[in-house]
Amino acid sequence: MVKLRLIALVFVCLAAGVLQAQDATPEMGRSAPPDTAGIQLVPVASGFDRPLYMTNAGDESGRLFVVTQSGKIWILKDGTTSETPFLDVSNLISPEVFNAGYSERGLLGLAFDPDYADNGVFYIDYTDISANTVVASYQVSADDADAADADSATILLTQQQPYANHNGGQLAFGADGYLYIGFGDGGSAGDPQGNGQNLTTWLGSILRIDVSADGYIVPDDNPFVGDANAKPEIWAYGVRNPWRFGFDMATGDFYIGDVGQDQWEEVDFQPADSTGGENYGWNAYEATHAYSGAPAPADMVLPIAEYSHQDGSGISISGGFVYRGSMLPQLDGVYFYGDYGTGNIWYAYRDDSGEWQSDFFMRNSGNQISSFGQDEAGELYVIDIGRGVIKRFEPAS
């Protein structure tokens, strides 16, 4: 049996009591594991070139938007892919993406403004031709709801990337209406620049900004506002490469899949009522395990789940979402995440004693999982980058 380490809310301290598990009671726990029998992954679309992400616009249109690494966003509706891309920024993307081989650069993230139905504004995250991370806003075309105005770009922020990997790239709006932005630690291996524990850089952090005005402003209640030794945009830090995070549609709780170094992958959690400032420990710790030899940070927050490279479980986590659809009511409130290398998929939930539990949903699903996706109804999807296929969680026929 593949070993999966489960992490309880009441956690045995690893370093003189300084480590803490994230505490919250967002909803009643489950009295038993979810019934995952009779669930299958059904292809709903194919033919995409290196799809990295999929999301919806929250505009009741039923459309899904598929992000490809090479700089294009495609519309998927009722199983049909648009003939032309919604947006094409391939001319802005790092040329490394178009060479054969693995790359962590490209068009990496997409989020639609909570008022998109009225204002037509959305946001993308990409690595540009100079290998910098860029977060920019765009506007939908005034004449065509299925096409963006490619000339409407406004750059919100830019971050120089010291290495080619760990670009982060995830964007998501929280229930508070603010935009959350994921930055990796800058790359290489082992965080050689020490960015994970450095609050004077965005690298190794998750930012939270208010985009309701021109450009952006920093929310007054961000945890490091007024701290001369910290970037005020930072909401949480101590992450290595937060490859996909998302908010529970029902509770507003925040789940973060953070890619590990050589041995451990982790899922981090923030309750909806968090005031920010969480430190997830990298690079002093890799998940719950000492890494650099530095003391455990006094404010370190433990992950709710982790899995090992050593037992064959996987090599790189792809964070997912909490299921809130109607097709599979037995999964309501259950969080799903997977591994890019093995295709393993897990679920996690809080039991009725308040402890986090996690187990396999599907071993070796046959997918190279770059991301999960969610539609407006809360149904859940898997994105297979290797085969260019989008699959949906459905009851077995």
Side-chain angles (χ1 to χ4, degrees), residues 141-200:
S141 170
D143 302 322
D144 186 353
D146 288 339
D149 180 355
D151 297 323
S152 64
T154 298
I155 294 177
L156 274 66
L157 55 84
T158 302
Q159 170 66 52
Q160 183 180 8
Q161 292 288 351
Y163 300 98
N165 56 341
H166 304 178
N167 289 270
Q170 179 72 344
L171 302 175
F173 279 93
D176 53 16
Y178 296 138
L179 180 63
Y180 291 71
I181 304 167
F183 278 101
D185 64 6
S188 188
D191 192 12
Q193 297 184 340
N195 292 322
Q197 294 299 309
N198 182 3
L199 289 169
T200 67

Side-chain angles (χ1 to χ4, degrees), residues 30-40 323 326-336 346-349 359-362 393-396:
R30 301 179 65 96
S31 59
D35 180 6
T36 59
I39 299 173
Q40 59 184 343
Y323 183 84
S326 59
M327 295 176 65
L328 300 163
Q330 69 271 32
L331 302 184
D332 185 56
V334 177
Y335 174 73
F336 288 86
W346 293 263
Y347 61 78
Y349 67 96
D359 204 348
F360 283 104
F361 164 68
M362 188 176 291
F393 285 55
E394 295 186 7

Side-chain angles (χ1 to χ4, degrees), residues 217-231:
I217 58 176
V218 176
D220 291 338
D221 59 350
N222 268 17
F224 301 108
V225 169
D227 185 342
N229 298 311
K231 293 282 190 182

Side-chain angles (χ1 to χ4, degrees), residues 52-295:
L52 286 184
Y53 189 55
M54 187 189 75
T55 189
N56 67 83
D59 61 355
E60 300 183 356
S61 68
R63 297 175 298 174
L64 295 168
F65 295 78
V66 180
V67 176
T68 61
Q69 190 171 10
S70 57
K72 297 178 181 180
I73 300 172
W74 299 89
I75 294 175
L76 175 62
K77 185 174 183 180
D78 299 328
T80 300
T81 304
S82 56
E83 294 184 1
T84 57
F86 174 71
L87 178 69
D88 183 353
V89 293
S90 55
N91 62 315
L92 304 179
I93 299 298
S94 171
E96 174 191 296
V97 174
F98 303 99
N99 299 326
Y102 175 81
S103 173
E104 294 184 18
R105 294 171 172 167
L107 179 57
L108 303 178
L110 168 67
F112 288 86
D113 193 278
D115 295 323
Y116 180 77
D118 296 322
N119 64 24
V121 177
F122 64 96
Y123 301 84
I124 63 171
D125 184 306
Y126 63 93
T127 41
D128 68 13
I129 57 175
S130 299
N132 301 311
T133 288
V134 175
V135 176
S137 67
Y138 280 81
Q139 186 86 34
V140 71
S141 170
D143 302 322
D144 186 353
D146 288 339
D149 180 355
D151 297 323
S152 64
T154 298
I155 294 177
L156 274 66
L157 55 84
T158 302
Q159 170 66 52
Q160 183 180 8
Q161 292 288 351
Y163 300 98
N165 56 341
H166 304 178
N167 289 270
Q170 179 72 344
L171 302 175
F173 279 93
D176 53 16
Y178 296 138
L179 180 63
Y180 291 71
I181 304 167
F183 278 101
D185 64 6
S188 188
D191 192 12
Q193 297 184 340
N195 292 322
Q197 294 299 309
N198 182 3
L199 289 169
T200 67
T201 176
W202 291 336
L203 297 172
S205 300
I206 295 173
L207 312 188
R208 176 184 185 246
I209 61 175
D210 180 354
V211 294
S212 62
D214 291 337
Y216 77 86
I217 58 176
V218 176
D220 291 338
D221 59 350
N222 268 17
F224 301 108
V225 169
D227 185 342
N229 298 311
K231 293 282 190 182
E233 294 90 349
I234 293 176
W235 176 255
Y237 66 111
V239 291
R240 182 175 179 270
N241 194 37
W243 185 245
R244 301 314 182 200
F245 52 68
F247 293 90
D248 185 337
M249 294 173 62
T251 68
D253 294 330
F254 191 27
Y255 292 79
I256 306 158
D258 192 25
V259 178
Q261 181 61 52
D262 297 319
Q263 297 189 52
W264 295 95
E265 306 296 308
E266 69 184 90
V267 177
D268 298 313
F269 173 82
Q270 290 180 15
D273 60 359
S274 169
T275 56
E278 287 88 348
N279 179 358
Y280 293 110
W282 176 252
N283 73 345
Y285 272 67
E286 181 186 14
T288 64
H289 308 269
Y291 177 80
S292 70

